[in-house]
């Protein structure tokens, strides 16, 4: 069982930066692929990016590529989402998720409660 708690959301002006964090419980954090997702009001949840268990591999949605960076610190059971050059359309609740390497999707994995990010124009 893994519990995920996000933090660091808030209000930021367009063009600004924000880093959100996700702390995981349990001793097996380093074995999980971690992902970030977001959901804007009235829209479906969308994939933002993922990072491999070791942190050596990442991939991102086209909408955030070049602006967002995912990293992790396995010693601290924490995954980060650094968001730069923020746009109003990045406004959403951001969720972290964990899945085992055997799983192909995050749907049946573990999810945090989300943190709100609001970008003002």
């Amino acid at each position: 069982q893994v519990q995920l708690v996000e933090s660091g959301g808030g209000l930021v002006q367009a063009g600004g930066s924000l880093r959100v964090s996700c702390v995981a419980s349990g001793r097996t954090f380093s074995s999980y692929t971690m992902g970030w997702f977001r959901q804007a009001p009235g829209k479906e949840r969308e994939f933002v990016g993922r990072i491999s268990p070791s942190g050596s591999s990442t991939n991102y949605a086209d909408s955030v590529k070049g602006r967002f960076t995912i990293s992790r610190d396995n010693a601290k059971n924490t995954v980060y989402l650094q968001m730069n050059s923020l746009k109003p359309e990045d406004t959403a609740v951001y969720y972290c998720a964990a899945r085992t390497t055997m799983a192909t999707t995050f749907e049946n994995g573990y999810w945090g409660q989300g943190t709100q990010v609001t970008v003002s124009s």
Side-chain angles (χ1 to χ4, degrees):
Q1 188 77 7
V2 176
Q3 291 185 325
L4 304 173
V5 179
E6 301 96 334
S7 63
L11 175 64
V12 62
Q13 288 189 332
S17 298
L18 198 64
R19 188 178 80 162
V20 294
S21 304
C22 172
V23 179
S25 65
R27 295 174 290 178
T28 58
F29 175 75
S30 61
S31 67
Y32 287 90
T33 296
M34 300 299 297
W36 284 98
F37 293 77
R38 66 186 182 185
Q39 187 166 21
K43 295 187 177 181
E44 293 188 353
R45 186 174 62 198
E46 66 171 341
F47 170 79
V48 173
R50 57 158 282 281
I51 186 166
S52 63
S54 67
S56 62
S57 174
T58 55
N59 65 306
Y60 301 93
D62 287 344
S63 58
V64 306
K65 200 172 294 182
R67 299 188 299 122
F68 289 13
T69 302
I70 298 174
S71 61
R72 65 191 296 163
D73 185 339
N74 285 342
K76 295 182 178 180
N77 279 17
T78 302
V79 61
Y80 304 98
L81 177 64
Q82 176 68 45
M83 301 179 286
N84 299 328
S85 302
L86 282 160
K87 306 174 182 180
E89 52 264 42
D90 294 318
T91 295
V93 177
Y94 283 72
Y95 299 90
C96 71
R99 64 169 175 84
T100 66
T101 54
M102 297 296 291
T104 57
T105 75
F106 287 93
E107 292 304 314
N108 294 321
Y110 302 99
W111 290 81
Q113 84 290 347
T115 186
Q116 176 71 47
V117 172
T118 302
V119 184
S120 63
S121 57

